[in-house]
Every structure is written in C-alpha cells, then in structure tokens.
Amino acid sequence: MTFVLKALAVATTALALLAPSVQAQDFPTKAVRIITPFPPGAGPEAALRVLAEKLQKKWGQPVVIENKPGANGFIAIDAWKRANPDGHELIQLDNVHLTTYPSLFKKLPYDPAKDFEPVAPLFRTYFFVGVGAGSKYKTVGDIVADAKANPGKLNYGSWSVGNPVHLGSALLEAMTGTQMQHVIYKETAMLYTAVATNEMDWALGSLATAGPMQRAGRLKFIAVTGPKRHPAFPDVPTVAESGGPAGYEVTGWTMVASPKGLPKAVADKIQRDIDAALAEPDMKDRYAAFGYEQFPVTRDQFLAFIKSETAKAADIVARTKSSLD
C-alpha cells in the first residue's frame, strides 16, 4: 500500500511538472486577442497586423487586433490588465509604458512590475529630424543656432507628453541649452502636415509616420537620430554630423506583453513563434518599409534590455525636467 501511495505521489508530481509543457504545446486553443494602444493605420499598429497574419497561419487560430488608442495608452491597458494569464490575451506596448512613464508620471493606473510579463520585442526604430521642404533649416546646427538666438520662439511637435518624439526633442533642448515650445497634435498626420506647411518648425518622425510626407516631397529629413546613417538614407547625416550634439540618440520600440503569471513555457512558445514569424523571408523587407528593424533576443536578454532602457529613460526625464501628475 505504501509503495502504491508513493508511486501515485511520484506520478502526480510528474504530471504537475509536465502540465505547463503540455499547455505550451497545445497553445493556442482558441482565438488570441492583442490589444494595441495605437490607432488603425499607425506604423506600430500596421506592423503588428503584419505579424498577426503570420501568427494566425502558424497557430491555426484567429489573431484579433483590437485598437484602443488615447490617454497615453492607458485606455488600452485598462481594458486589458484584467486578462486571464493564459496567453490568449496579449497587449502591444510602446517602450514608454514600461521604461519611461514610471519616471515621468507621479502616479500610474498600472504597475509595470506587477501587471505585465514582457514576452517579445517586435521592432525598434530611429527617428529623423524633419522640416518642411521649403524650410530655411538645412542642418540641426541651423535649428540650434536659431533657437539660441530666439529663446522660446521655435516650436516642435508630437502627439502626447512623454512619447519618444516629445522626450527626444526635449533632450535636444537640454543637450544644447536651448528653449523651444512643444505643441501637441491629436494625430501624427496633422503633426507632419504642420511641419510640411512650416506651421511647425521641426519634428522628429519615423519612416512610418513622417515617411509619407517625405516621399511626397513636402517634408525633408536633415538628420537621423541613430548612431550611424540609415541604410535607406545614406545621404542623411546623423545629428552629430548635422551640427547637433555628439552622443544624441533617440529610439523607439514596441513589445508584446502578457498578464503577469503566464507560465514560462507558454511565454517561451509565444516568443519562439513571434521570432519565427519575424524571421520569415518577406518580413525583413515588410518591416523595413516602415523603417523598423527586428532585434530578436532571448527572454532573459529582453528583460535585461528593458532594465537598461528604464535607466536611460529615467536619466532623460531628469535631464529634461519632465514630470506629470
């Protein structure tokens, strides 16, 4: 009898250890919903839909994208954070939600450490310094010189407070000792139209957001915020090469996250499947069209990357003296 009880105990333990693996192997067992804080047609949202097409074929289950833009992404997060932690309800987050907002906001409607389980990065992108096609500014040095000569007179724009474009622009102010005005637009299309018509002096923008105006000849890129020139724009200098401060870089990236408590085996499978989808031959070119690049990493490497980015963001928030209630 004792032998039987011991055998049953061993079997029960083995089954318990095996359960997450079986769960991961069977995942997904129903439709997967991914909430995004980006509006339909926005670059990050469009890139997510491209990925969703691949995952739907791989998983044999519908992958539904649900748009909930507005309020710095808080609407999307509020709608999602009570999700069942089984992997069937995911969320696309901007890098600011985990790395910047904890330093920027005195109080958040979520806890980055307790509510989210980062699963996989989708892409990252550098930005371009954009001005109107007929602008008098030919270099970043021109903008800085004019801003120093006319404190508070120049303006730049973004779509909210605390996004990479806003803080990246504010960082340029901090690094050059200038003062300029930040103007918020409801939509990126409105922002870059304002730059094209010289209503706005300049703005940072990605190929996904500012690219259409640039391709239409209404907006020109005078610098890129990366450490080196962009391969698609070899004639566009870096900010330092354009007369701006050395060491100035601005990047944005998005990720897929699950609710805290997702079994590691399931999280690992989702990441492997996302990495496999992004590695398909056509995906590099499709993402490059948005100006995005993939950076596949292990989950441990990704968590270390988020920690490093959080420290960098805290430094930028402190240097730009940004704070929100």
Side-chain angles (χ1 to χ4, degrees), residues 32-39 41-56 63-68 90-93 120-123 254-257 274 277-278 283 286-287 290 292:
V32 175
R33 180 180 68 145
I34 307 178
I35 292 180
T36 176
F38 299 100
E45 189 264 2
L48 178 65
R49 288 189 180 275
V50 170
L51 174 66
E53 293 173 10
K54 299 287 187 180
L55 292 177
Q56 186 162 293
V63 178
V64 181
I65 306 301
E66 189 172 326
N67 301 87
K68 289 192 175 295
L90 305 171
I91 188 168
Q92 180 187 30
L93 294 174
L122 296 187
F123 64 80
T254 73
M255 76 187 84
V256 168
I274 288 176
L278 292 174
M283 287 295 280
R286 294 181 75 176
Y287 268 41
F290 297 114
Y292 300 154

Side-chain angles (χ1 to χ4, degrees), residues 143-186:
I143 294 175
V144 172
D146 199 10
K148 286 184 175 180
N150 299 282
K153 296 297 179 65
L154 275 69
N155 54 28
Y156 60 83
S158 79
W159 52 88
S160 67
V161 174
N163 65 74
V165 165
H166 166 227
L167 289 183
S169 303
L171 180 61
L172 183 65
E173 287 183 275
M175 293 180 72
T176 57
T178 56
Q179 292 182 337
M180 293 178 264
Q181 296 295 321
H182 176 220
V183 182
I184 298 175
Y185 287 81
K186 289 184 178 180

Side-chain angles (χ1 to χ4, degrees), residues 130-300:
V131 298
S135 172
K136 63 181 180 181
Y137 303 123
K138 309 300 180 185
T139 67
V140 174
D142 291 342
I143 294 175
V144 172
D146 199 10
K148 286 184 175 180
N150 299 282
K153 296 297 179 65
L154 275 69
N155 54 28
Y156 60 83
S158 79
W159 52 88
S160 67
V161 174
N163 65 74
V165 165
H166 166 227
L167 289 183
S169 303
L171 180 61
L172 183 65
E173 287 183 275
M175 293 180 72
T176 57
T178 56
Q179 292 182 337
M180 293 178 264
Q181 296 295 321
H182 176 220
V183 182
I184 298 175
Y185 287 81
K186 289 184 178 180
E187 299 177 356
T188 55
M190 295 172 62
L191 166 62
Y192 298 112
T193 296
V195 176
T197 59
N198 294 313
E199 173 187 324
M200 184 67 42
D201 291 309
W202 64 281
L204 298 181
S206 68
L207 288 182
T209 54
M213 281 290 179
Q214 186 272 337
R215 289 190 292 273
R218 300 184 60 191
L219 186 149
K220 63 182 178 182
F221 296 151
I222 60 173
V224 64
T225 66
K228 58 183 179 181
R229 298 190 181 200
H230 194 285
F233 292 84
D235 294 333
V236 176
T238 64
V239 168
E241 292 173 333
S242 186
Y248 174 82
E249 292 183 22
V250 183
T251 184
W253 47 275
T254 73
M255 76 187 84
V256 168
S258 71
K260 202 74 173 178
L262 180 67
K264 186 177 184 301
V266 176
D268 287 344
K269 183 179 189 301
I270 295 173
Q271 184 188 26
R272 287 196 303 271
D273 290 344
I274 288 176
D275 288 346
L278 292 174
E280 291 188 22
D282 64 320
M283 287 295 280
K284 182 177 181 180
D285 289 340
R286 294 181 75 176
Y287 268 41
F290 297 114
Y292 300 154
E293 63 180 23
Q294 300 137 7
F295 59 120
V297 291
T298 66
R299 290 192 65 242
D300 287 343

